[in-house]
Amino acid sequence: MKKMLLTGVLLALSGAGAVKVGVLLPLSGSGSVSGQAARNGYLLALDEINRAGGVLGKPLELEFADDGSSPAKAVPEFVKLVTVDKVDFMAGGVSSATSIAISGPAKQYGTFMAWIGAAAVPVEDAFADHKYFFHYHPWSYYNFEAILGYFKTLKTQKKARNIAIAYEDGPFGSAGINDTVAAFKKAGFNVVMTEKFKTGSGNFGPIISKAKAARPDIFYWVGYDTDALPLATEIKQQNLQVGLVYGTPPSWPVGFEKNQLADNIAGLSLWLPSSPQAESRKFVAAYRKKFGNVTEEYFAPLAYVNLKTLAAAINGAGGTDKDKVAAALAATNTPTPFGPLTFSKSNKTQYQGFKAGNWLHFQFQGDSRVPVYPIKFAQKPMVWNK
């Protein structure tokens, strides 16, 4: 009996039989700002989960893998997590391109996916028939719904009529561009320019020249954090005069707010440290205690919510049976730093978390990101440069 008890203790201490969650993130490459922010969010959640007793009575284990912001690297890393490391569940996922690349293996192995990013509609298409796909981040049409609502306000308040669009050539920027243009026109805007660029190229001279000639009220760009600084530099050098420069990268370059080139550039975020929800204040305090600072990247709290809710669902299911965990996760109704989280159907997938109403709009003002819309969250008036 003593030997059996000792064996049981050793198993518990070693974590043998513990639930393992694989986390695929862009820890390097063009999406690394989002990936590193998400990694911190997962580590914070892991600490809290294990301090509270872990999952199914054992410490939860995470296996991180770097997709390198590259579909070619994402596939072997994903397959290794599932087949060699034998993780029970998969979390993470920031890039649309890498998520599309792994959709085949994910369906082949029947992998349970609790996914935080990958907003492009082709990702939704790729996972539409996968019954274990839970998507936390709003799809791109929810993002655009929020942006269009804000731009309609600018149309009323600032007489904004003309929009110039620059978009990256991957799924994130290109997949819905025709629908974007059509929706702007339907809302009464004149789309005076649509130009594609290669993300990370840094070559924005010709695009800004065309925008300058088109004389837009709003310059709207869709790309990644690596594009923000060269684009802002070119706008400054060519003295592009617009009412508002508005960008939608998943994350912004580290320290971008400290650069004068960032002044008055606006963007979209699911969350800022100043978000008023009680759960946001708790997250900020816990993050500051663990890391000694506070991030402004929403992928950190998004990853935090992702792992906490997945762990709660596994505990609620009483085991790792995927159907039971899916049922438990589908029943989620919990406060988060972004507001309440529940899952409901999107256009094509069964389990969609956050939607258009969770977005807020901010502007870089005075070395920080200042919420400017919706009005109930605004801390300062928006600066309109025309």
Side-chain angles (χ1 to χ4, degrees), residues 143-152 184 220 246 248 268 361:
N143 308 356
F144 184 70
E145 180 182 337
I147 293 166
L148 185 60
Y150 181 44
F151 286 8
K152 284 180 178 178
F184 277 140
Y220 170 56
Y246 191 98
T248 61
L268 193 67
H361 308 265

Side-chain angles (χ1 to χ4, degrees), residues 293-357:
N293 55 28
V294 178
T295 181
E296 291 195 324
E297 301 299 339
Y298 70 81
F299 272 100
L302 192 55
Y304 173 85
V305 169
N306 177 239
L307 190 61
K308 295 272 283 192
T309 52
L310 176 59
I314 299 168
N315 277 330
T320 57
D321 179 89
K322 287 184 284 190
D323 289 321
K324 292 181 179 177
V325 174
L329 190 55
T332 296
N333 187 349
T334 184
T336 78
F338 315 99
L341 171 64
T342 59
F343 289 97
S344 59
K345 290 183 178 179
S346 66
N347 283 351
K348 296 174 184 173
T349 53
Q350 185 73 20
Y351 305 114
Q352 173 60 39
F354 300 109
K355 296 184 176 178

Side-chain angles (χ1 to χ4, degrees), residues 180-231:
T180 295
V181 171
F184 277 140
K185 290 181 176 178
K186 185 178 179 181
F189 292 99
N190 304 313
V191 178
V192 296
M193 185 194 87
T194 51
E195 288 290 325
K196 184 187 298 185
F197 64 85
K198 185 171 183 58
T199 196
S201 69
N203 182 21
F204 291 102
I207 286 179
I208 298 305
S209 294
K210 288 183 180 180
K212 195 171 180 180
R215 301 175 63 83
D217 301 306
I218 299 171
F219 180 83
Y220 170 56
W221 66 276
V222 184
Y224 288 94
D225 57 274
T226 54
D227 305 311
L229 189 55
L231 184 57

Side-chain angles (χ1 to χ4, degrees), residues 256-284:
F256 188 63
E257 65 276 5
K258 306 295 183 186
N259 193 319
Q260 290 185 347
L261 292 171
D263 284 350
N264 302 331
I265 291 178
L268 193 67
S269 183
L270 277 176
W271 169 88
L272 289 173
S274 58
S275 295
Q277 290 92 343
E279 292 301 313
S280 176
R281 295 196 295 272
K282 290 179 187 176
F283 173 81
V284 168

Side-chain angles (χ1 to χ4, degrees), residues 96-252:
S96 294
T98 58
S99 297
I100 292 170
I102 65 171
S103 62
K107 287 187 279 190
Q108 176 184 338
Y109 297 116
T111 309
F112 194 108
M113 309 279 286
W115 229 228
I116 58 170
V121 168
V123 181
E124 188 181 25
D125 293 335
F127 284 97
D129 59 348
H130 187 48
K131 68 176 183 177
Y132 301 126
F133 184 72
F134 285 76
H135 192 244
Y136 286 63
H137 194 288
W139 292 114
S140 58
Y141 48 82
Y142 296 126
N143 308 356
F144 184 70
E145 180 182 337
I147 293 166
L148 185 60
Y150 181 44
F151 286 8
K152 284 180 178 178
T153 299
L154 297 178
K155 183 176 172 219
T156 300
Q157 296 181 349
K158 304 295 182 182
K159 309 302 179 188
R161 291 289 186 276
N162 300 324
I163 299 176
I165 304 173
Y167 60 98
E168 65 98 26
D169 61 355
F172 178 57
S174 300
I177 189 62
N178 292 334
D179 290 338
T180 295
V181 171
F184 277 140
K185 290 181 176 178
K186 185 178 179 181
F189 292 99
N190 304 313
V191 178
V192 296
M193 185 194 87
T194 51
E195 288 290 325
K196 184 187 298 185
F197 64 85
K198 185 171 183 58
T199 196
S201 69
N203 182 21
F204 291 102
I207 286 179
I208 298 305
S209 294
K210 288 183 180 180
K212 195 171 180 180
R215 301 175 63 83
D217 301 306
I218 299 171
F219 180 83
Y220 170 56
W221 66 276
V222 184
Y224 288 94
D225 57 274
T226 54
D227 305 311
L229 189 55
L231 184 57
T233 301
E234 196 65 41
I235 288 172
K236 179 70 172 179
Q237 288 179 345
Q238 294 201 34
N239 192 28
L240 176 65
Q241 296 291 319
V242 295
L244 191 67
V245 176
Y246 191 98
T248 61
S251 296
W252 294 83

